Amino acid sequence: MQVIATAGHVDHGKSTLIRALTGIEPDRLDEEKQRGLTIDLGFAWTALPSGREVSFVDVPGHERFLGNMLAGLGPAPIVCFVIAADEGWQAQSSDHRDAIAALGIDQGLIVVTRADLAPDRVEQVIAEARTELARTGLAGAPAVGVSAVTGQGLDELRDLLDTVTRNARAPATDQRVRLWVDRAFSISGAGTVVTGTLTGGILRREDRLALCSADRSAEVVVRGLQSRGGSLEQLGPVSRAAVNLRGVSTEEIGRGDVLLTPDAWELVHLLDVRRSTGAFLEDAPQQLVAHIGTAAVGVRVRPLGPDHARLTLDRPLPLQLGDDLVLRSSGSHSVRNGVQVLDLDPPSLERRGDGARRRVVLEQMPLGGDLAVEVRRRGAVRASLLLRYGMTLPTPLPETVHRHGDWLVDSEAREGWTQQLGTLVAQHRRADPLTAGLPRKAAIDALALPDEALLDLVVAAAGLTQHEGRVRDADSGQDLGAAETGVRTLEERLARSPFAAPEADDLAALGLGPRELAAAAAQGRLLRLPDEVILLPAAPALAMRVLAALPQPFTTSEARQALATTRRVAIPLLEHLDSRGWTRRPDPGHREVMR
């Protein structure tokens, strides 16, 4: 399957050629038939000699309908450029040539029509067309002369179409869908139907799609699919698609709107572009119209030198890096520029000299973006966002890029955050030796991390630890300042007598109040049990060795005596062992060690 759009000067026989090839009348409007002038897009299809099916989008040639022409040509991958033998190259031939160049179309063929009226001029017109198209993607396109009236050359043209479509770039079925709508209408019993050219991805019945329109955004469902007059369960590229939608009325959707794979595209209104064709951008008017797909959107232009500019769209559109846009003045019948999308998330330009500095960056920026550069300028960015921008993620990643879940992190940024966090934790400890650590929220705010999930990466890289929402040094033997002497004295006492927990007076004499004890416990140096019973962290394990040697089950009194301690210590300690599942109470008066 393939889709071919026509192009060429008004009244050079584009519609007549389509009728001769397909037997289908592409002019749909009564006014078109009465005047013999194509005003809007027309559609037809046929099978080529090989059996390959091809669809045609017939575009108007008159200068007054340039917008309609761009809507038909924009989504098409192949163009059939038509020039009449008896008239040769004309004004709108140049306009359509400029549009093809601006859109970056590089697949197609040249057809010289009305060969019966000027048979001696066919080769001359082909040569003229090649000269005019020399700086476009059709510079080397094959050419043929035909007459739709006599049939001369039509078989050769069909063979040529077969060759062109066979050699065309294979469309990607695994791409995300972006179907630009060129028509919307209602069918009795079916409801809303839209048509467009599907250039990538697959559409299936009951697919859910995101609608991006000038008036609303919504989720719609594919109720039915048709292509070339037949109903289908699914449709792949490149195809003309008629999509019956559920969830939107005909009044809510129209040309320029777009159907998208949900959550796969980023809607943008600010972008930086590079000139591909046309006049220098530094002389561009402040207001232009940008054409992409079937959409025509007002745009504000900020020049960034002769070849680059920043565009602000009147409404957000689903764009990707490398997209080709056509710029023209709203009252003009010709193309001003072709531009290519370089950056869909450009930095603000607020300070003096920002524009000049940005121009230097854009001059060095490759089309499609540089992953390492894009990650470096942000410090960290979600991989899913870059994929929505249309950027390719290479395998393996560049050496300077590290992945953490969905986040891509620059190595320099990670190193900076690591050093900064280490300094913050040390400063926090010096300011308050009893602290349990720097709160996570304070660390995230101080580092200005784009997402709290990145703190785990920075903590690990800095050799720090986290406990109960705080970041602290991995060394559990940190100095507790003025309380350090008292804690060490207590540790020495408990090492000699593990279950001789100090009384309140002892703790006071050592200068250890609740805050000092909490800090030591947070470092894992002391174990705090209810009623301020203080032991070493190893005390429960030591107690289990003693209790395991008792006849089972045992009473609280037997346990107290075996541990050589007081009831004040024994009860909280035994309850702690119960809570850990190391002991249990078979009845109210006894406990036993779990085997």
Side-chain angles (χ1 to χ4, degrees), residues 527-534 568-569 571-573 575-576:
L527 173 66
R528 297 177 75 191
L529 297 176
D531 298 325
E532 211 66 301
V533 171
I534 309 299
R568 181 183 78 87
V569 175
I571 290 178
L573 178 57
E575 290 175 348
H576 177 74

Side-chain angles (χ1 to χ4, degrees), residues 236-301:
V238 172
S239 302
R240 285 295 302 170
V243 189
N244 184 196
L245 296 175
R246 184 187 308 128
V248 62
S249 67
T250 309
E251 293 74 21
E252 296 174 304
I253 190 170
R255 180 172 296 173
D257 297 337
V258 58
L259 297 174
L260 307 167
T261 300
D263 303 319
W265 293 86
E266 196 74 10
L267 300 182
V268 297
H269 73 280
L270 189 70
L271 57 148
D272 286 349
V273 298
R274 174 177 294 152
R275 180 177 70 96
S276 57
T277 66
F280 289 135
L281 291 173
E282 60 188 353
D283 302 322
Q286 186 177 14
Q287 297 289 335
L288 289 173
V289 176
H291 293 261
I292 173 72
T294 61
V297 178
V299 59
R300 188 168 69 253
V301 182

